[in-house]
Amino acid sequence: MAADLKTYSRTIDEAAARLISRATDSRGLTAPDVRPRIEHAINKYLIQNGKPDARDISTFVDEIRADELCLVLACERGDEKAWEDLVKTFDSTVRSAARKICSNSEDAEDLASSIWAELHGLRTDADGNRKSKLAYYSGRGSLAGWLRAIVSQLAVDEHRKNAKFVQIEETREFENLAEESS
């Protein structure tokens, strides 16, 4: 725990307990389970921007979307029911955002599938732990809005990756580029 957060330990404990009690479905999570995510968000949004008081911390945590944060944390823990609920609830949001970005339905489907793969965490870190984009959700805004932003970010990343592979149609263009590079 960061030195600054130790000052607020009791406030964070109480706020985490309130967050769990506000959740319609806590998905078996406890206050200690949500505390690391809460601490990360407090550090990111409050501590780095100044020295908040206990009331600021309490208000901040009370604004976190309890059900959505519990859903995400349960998915991260490998809860298959939570994952099914996430997909069932937000698949239309992801697909709609992908359709708005992509020029055709095939690309939109590919983008939506890529999003779910990124959220599920198909990649692993050096220690073999799954790396999921869900780790970045703080609960501060709606999960639907956050997912739309993730769709947009992945679309930009894909565009940048594919833009590097520009195919030259004209022979003369190829010759010009070759001359310029030498």
Side-chain angles (χ1 to χ4, degrees):
M1 180 180 342
D4 290 325
L5 287 177
K6 286 181 182 176
T7 308
Y8 306 109
S9 187
R10 182 173 175 188
T11 302
I12 294 170
D13 284 341
E14 292 168 356
R18 281 195 314 277
L19 184 138
I20 288 296
S21 71
R22 284 189 293 115
T24 306
D25 184 356
S26 68
R27 301 188 179 272
L29 296 168
T30 63
D33 296 328
V34 300
R35 185 181 172 123
R37 187 65 62 93
I38 290 170
E39 287 176 344
H40 180 74
I42 290 169
N43 244 340
K44 181 177 180 180
Y45 295 106
L46 293 180
I47 303 261
Q48 288 183 357
N49 295 325
K51 186 150 177 67
D53 62 20
R55 191 171 354 118
D56 295 332
I57 301 265
S58 290
T59 301
F60 178 86
V61 176
D62 288 345
E63 291 172 354
I64 290 175
R65 295 169 177 260
D67 286 309
E68 292 178 355
L69 183 61
C70 288
L71 175 63
V72 165
L73 292 173
C75 288
E76 287 181 314
R77 288 182 142 198
D79 181 331
E80 288 302 318
K81 173 71 169 101
W83 182 254
E84 289 171 18
D85 291 346
L86 178 72
V87 173
K88 184 173 78 172
T89 305
F90 295 101
D91 189 53
S92 61
T93 300
V94 168
R95 292 190 185 291
S96 173
R99 281 191 302 272
K100 288 179 181 176
I101 292 170
C102 295
S103 58
N104 63 57
S105 60
E106 185 177 298
D107 288 346
E109 284 300 312
D110 288 346
L111 180 60
S113 295
S114 295
I115 292 299
W116 289 116
E118 290 283 335
L119 294 173
H120 197 266
L122 296 182
R123 288 187 258 163
T124 56
D125 63 15
D127 298 327
N129 299 318
R130 272 188 352 193
K131 290 187 62 147
S132 168
K133 294 239 185 243
L134 289 175
Y136 298 103
Y137 180 68
S138 67
R140 292 286 296 153
S142 76
L143 185 53
W146 182 83
L147 287 168
R148 284 190 289 274
I150 293 295
V151 171
S152 297
Q153 289 172 355
L154 187 61
V156 168
D157 292 346
E158 287 296 314
H159 175 74
R160 286 180 180 153
K161 186 174 22 172
N162 293 332
K164 292 179 183 177
F165 303 110
V166 175
Q167 203 168 21
I168 300 173
E169 300 289 327
E170 300 281 330
T171 306
R172 184 68 200 143
E173 286 181 51
F174 181 71
E175 291 170 359
N176 290 342
L177 284 173
E179 288 172 11
E180 288 174 13
S181 67
S182 58

